[in-house]
């Protein structure tokens, strides 16, 4: 995964300038900020509020409403494990419990070595090949403990 | 030069399609064989992915499921000439899974290069748009109405009526919004068609725009679908380059363009008014209706919001006429429905068929029963807010009204199969948990009731006053049904109540403790 850039205001302002001309620019801005920095820094909120002529509370409300936006940096690799019913029908809940335990994190948590962040998702549209996951945006299917550990080990340290 | 087709649908990628394509290229180089590899969408026979097809003088011949290590043996067997191999399946369209389908919406999916304008045009693409331009706005809406098409996003509202409402609403600006949030677990038809035939969505939305007088379109794509988003963005560029989008569509003087916007992981943003709020840059809170989006939608302007499949059905309807589409189906469910057979099932995939097959035919005959080989115990129909059906109800025909009569819903056409190891109390608990996680927070029964629901199921499991808690759970479900503004809180009780009704044995403390 491309390494996220450390938060910096000039870069954030450039992103704001790039998107603020759109109709309804809020989500595109937030996605672009998260893409760049890996999360939405608290310092972004007053900047967005000022640019879009909104109150800070309104911007904060939007950022916290959506599950995608992180409030702190993620690990080097993001594992999104599906918890949808089609994945549950093939044992995803047990797989998730084992994976979280192995990595020593809870949902949304990041391992102490900052390698992995594990997030729940509710369906990836891979429901005939369950259980499934996205690892750094790449799809994994018909997972079991062995294949998931293998996939994690393959990216570890990269 | 032999043409070889390898899917790049994300589901095929998940089982190694890129590696298969690379291996075929490498092996061909090694053997001095001249091949051209074309990346397609998926045929929807996901149990055969990665399904590789080879063009031969007698048609395309398929092989699947292919993994990288099968590639040398395919060359050895002479697959470039369509010869036999243990993975040989013959012509894909003759495979019983496809031969039994009626592919109107998914006719091109898995067949063409999704980003080739010439493939699209050669397979009947743009015929619907040409006809719409020829007959004009009112007659276009007339065809859609005649087709009997009902919204494929879940609520089943007649599409023609919605379009007419927007067209008739005076305004200086109108919008066409495509709901590509596809939040229902167990569904993937929107994703598959956007990856496999994105120009059909462009065409369907453009026909809608000219019918209602809209100049701007948005596709709201869930963030869980990065691959589909990328393909669609490329399709927009291709369409624009040939003026299928833009200020003067194919010399007609009409102006329309489409932008893709990403959601941010909120299920409720699939609800049309929450989606509009989200597009406007706000929290995805459901709006009270009225006003309808058709009157006051995006930025308070008249707006058509339709599901991907609703739009993609339209080019065919215009090209062949509304009556042709309506000739398929049963009762008030006209046309075809792309079913998505998923979960613990042997032949999982996309199955487009006229309405009317029974649930049993779909799960047992087409789906082939469970992948685990154990007996089927439950099928959840219509996503996370849909009821669980036991085999005793497998005679229910797939039809909006027949499902409703059994307290179920078709929704977006997803069917998730479970074997006999499923714990239905856990599934009921999950339905409540999901509602709690995804509630937009506007209604108390949905926001608070769902959290209470999780606790009550836990208490039943722990053997705490089971009779009282079961009554409390039923009560809570009724309150949520009655006191919720939208179907998230209003329908989350359906999976819970169906689990209680059909699987009461799972709600005894003994059953839960025995785990
Ligand atoms: C909680 C909730 C989630 C929904 N999710 C979706 C969705 O993901 N995709 C969709 O097309 N419709 C979804 N709907 C239905 C939409 O509100 C709306 O009915 C639909 O987009 C209209 O398009 P159609 O008439 O073509 O079906 C959802 C509704 C609710 C209440
Ligand atoms: S039912 Fe739930 S999701 Fe729907 S409007 Fe009410 S609180 Fe929001
Ligand atoms: S439920 Fe997991 S991919 Fe759809």
């Amino acid at each position: 995964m491309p390494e996220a850039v450390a938060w910096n205001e000039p870069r954030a302002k450039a992103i704001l300038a790039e998107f603020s001309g759109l109709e309804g620019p809020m989500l595109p801005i937030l996605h672009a900020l998260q893409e760049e920095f890996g999360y939405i820094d608290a310092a972004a909120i007053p900047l967005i509020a000022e640019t879009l002529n909104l109150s800070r509370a309104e911007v904060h409300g939007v950022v916290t409403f959506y599950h995608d936006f992180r409030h702190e940096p993620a690990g080097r690799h993001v594992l999104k494990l599906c918890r949808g019913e089609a994945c549950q029908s093939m044992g995803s809940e047990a797989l998730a419990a084992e994976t979280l335990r192995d990595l020593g994190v809870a949902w949304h948590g990041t391992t102490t070595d900052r390698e992995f962040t594990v997030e729940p998702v509710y369906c990836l549209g891979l429901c005939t090949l369950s259980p499934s996951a996205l690892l750094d945006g790449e799809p994994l299917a018909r997972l079991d403990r062995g294949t998931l550990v293998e996939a994690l080990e393959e990216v570890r340290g990269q | 030069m032999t043409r070889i087709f390898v899917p790049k649908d994300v589901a095929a990628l998940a089982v190694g399609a890129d590696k298969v394509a690379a291996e075929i290229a490498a092996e061909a180089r090694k053997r001095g064989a001249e091949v051209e590899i074309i990346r397609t969408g998926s045929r929807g026979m996901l149990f055969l992915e990665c399904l590789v097809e080879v063009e031969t003088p007698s048609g395309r011949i398929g092989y699947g499921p292919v993994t990288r290590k099968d590639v040398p043996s395919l060359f050895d067997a002479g697959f470039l000439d369509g010869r036999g191999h243990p993975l040989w399946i013959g012509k894909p369209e003759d495979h019983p899974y496809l031969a039994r389908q009626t592919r109107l919406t998914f006719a091109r999916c898995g067949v063409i290069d999704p980003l080739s304008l010439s493939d699209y045009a050669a397979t009947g693409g743009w015929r619907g748009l040409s006809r719409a331009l020829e007959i004009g706005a009112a007659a276009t809406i007339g065809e859609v109405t005649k087709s009997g098409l009902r919204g494929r996003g879940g609520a089943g509202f007649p599409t023609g009526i919605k379009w007419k409402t927007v067209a008739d609403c005076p305004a200086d600006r109108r919008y066409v919004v495509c709901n590509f949030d596809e939040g229902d677990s167990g569904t993937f038809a929107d994703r598959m068609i956007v990856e496999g035939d994105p120009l059909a969505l462009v065409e369907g939305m453009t026909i809608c725009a000219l019918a209602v007088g809209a100049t701007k379109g948005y596709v709201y794509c869930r963030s869980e679908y990065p691959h589909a988003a990328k393909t669609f963005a490329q399709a927009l560029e291709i369409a624009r380059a040939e003026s299928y989008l833009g200020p003067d569509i194919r010399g007609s003087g009409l102006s329309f363009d489409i932008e893709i916007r990403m959601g941010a992981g909120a299920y409720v943003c699939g609800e049309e008014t929450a989606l509009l709020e989200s597009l406007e840059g706000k929290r995805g809170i459901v709006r009270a209706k009225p006003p309808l989006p058709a009157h006051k939608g995006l930025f308070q302007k008249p707006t058509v919001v339709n599901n991907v499949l609703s739009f993609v059905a339209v080019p065919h309807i215009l090209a062949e006429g509304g009556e042709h589409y309506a000739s398929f189906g049963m009762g008030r469910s006209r046309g075809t429905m792309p079913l998505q057979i998923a979960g613990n099932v042997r032949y999982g995939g996309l199955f487009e068929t006229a309405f009317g097959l029974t649930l049993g035919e779909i799960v047992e005959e087409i789906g082939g029963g469970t992948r685990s080989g154990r007996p089927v115990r439950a099928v959840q129909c219509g996503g996370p807010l849909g009821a669980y059906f036991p085999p005793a109800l497998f005679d229910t025909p797939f039809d909006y009204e027949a499902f409703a009569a059994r307290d179920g819903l078709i929704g977006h056409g997803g069917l998730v199969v479970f074997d006999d190891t499923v714990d239905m109390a856990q599934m009921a608990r999950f339905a409540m948990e999901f509602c709690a996680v995804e509630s937009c927070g506007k209604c108390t029964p949905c926001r608070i009731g769902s959290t209470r629901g999780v606790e009550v199921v836990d208490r039943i499991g722990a053997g705490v006053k089971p009779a009282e808690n079961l009554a409390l759970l039923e009560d809570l479900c009724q309150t949520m049904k009655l006191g919720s503004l939208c179907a998230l809180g209003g329908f989350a009780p359906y999976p819970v109540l169906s689990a209680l009704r059909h699987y009461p044995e799972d709600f005894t403390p003994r059953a839960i403790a025995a785990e």
Side-chain angles (χ1 to χ4, degrees), chain A residues 23-24 31 66-68 85 127, chain B residues 175 185 218 223 261 263 265 282:
Chain A
E23 254 184 349
H31 277 302
Y66 295 95
H67 301 307
D68 276 4
E85 283 89 340
C127 327
Chain B
Y175 291 99
S185 49
Y218 286 100
S223 60
R261 287 291 174 89
K282 304 178 193 143

Side-chain angles (χ1 to χ4, degrees), chain B residues 267-268 271 273-274 284-288 435 438-448 450 480 483-491:
Chain B
Y267 175 76
V268 72
E271 195 283 334
T273 62
I285 307 273
V286 175
R287 296 179 186 168
C435 182
E438 299 295 343
S439 171
C440 85
K442 191 162 183 158
C443 327
T444 314
C446 170
R447 188 183 71 239
I448 308 286
S450 49
M480 287 172 69
S484 295
L485 185 59
C486 86
L488 181 44
F491 282 46

Side-chain angles (χ1 to χ4, degrees), chain A:
Chain A
M1 207 160 73
E3 198 76 24
V5 174
W7 165 258
N8 71 87
E9 200 172 301
R11 184 71 198 109
K13 280 190 165 153
I15 289 172
L16 282 167
E18 188 182 338
F19 290 97
S20 56
L22 295 176
E23 254 184 349
M26 179 73 92
L27 261 60
I29 286 175
L30 292 175
H31 277 302
L33 289 173
Q34 177 145 309
E35 170 102 12
E36 184 80 5
F37 305 114
Y39 72 110
I40 307 292
D41 195 280
I45 289 174
L47 287 185
I48 299 170
E50 194 183 323
T51 310
L52 303 184
N53 208 6
L54 297 168
S55 74
R56 290 179 187 202
E58 280 170 299
V59 179
H60 179 78
V62 175
V63 176
T64 51
F65 180 84
Y66 295 95
H67 301 307
D68 276 4
F69 300 125
R70 293 186 202 100
H71 309 294
E72 49 193 66
R76 270 182 289 280
H77 304 287
V78 177
L79 176 69
K80 292 178 185 268
L81 265 180
C82 182
R83 292 192 66 201
E85 283 89 340
C87 286
Q88 291 194 37
S89 76
M90 292 301 292
S92 65
E93 289 292 273
L95 178 67
E98 286 165 0
T99 306
L100 293 171
R101 199 188 50 222
D102 288 353
L103 294 174
V105 294
W107 286 118
H108 303 284
T110 299
T111 53
T112 42
D113 60 4
R114 303 215 57 79
E115 276 291 333
F116 299 106
T117 299
V118 188
E119 297 174 343
V121 280
Y122 299 90
C123 195
L124 294 166
L126 302 170
C127 327
T128 58
L129 305 168
S130 50
S132 69
L134 286 184
L135 178 57
D136 297 339
E138 292 308 315
L140 302 172
R142 291 194 188 121
L143 285 169
D144 56 33
R145 196 160 179 204
T147 51
L148 182 52
V149 167
E150 200 179 305
L152 294 178
E153 287 312 314
E154 205 175 308
V155 298
R156 183 189 287 279
Q158 283 177 21

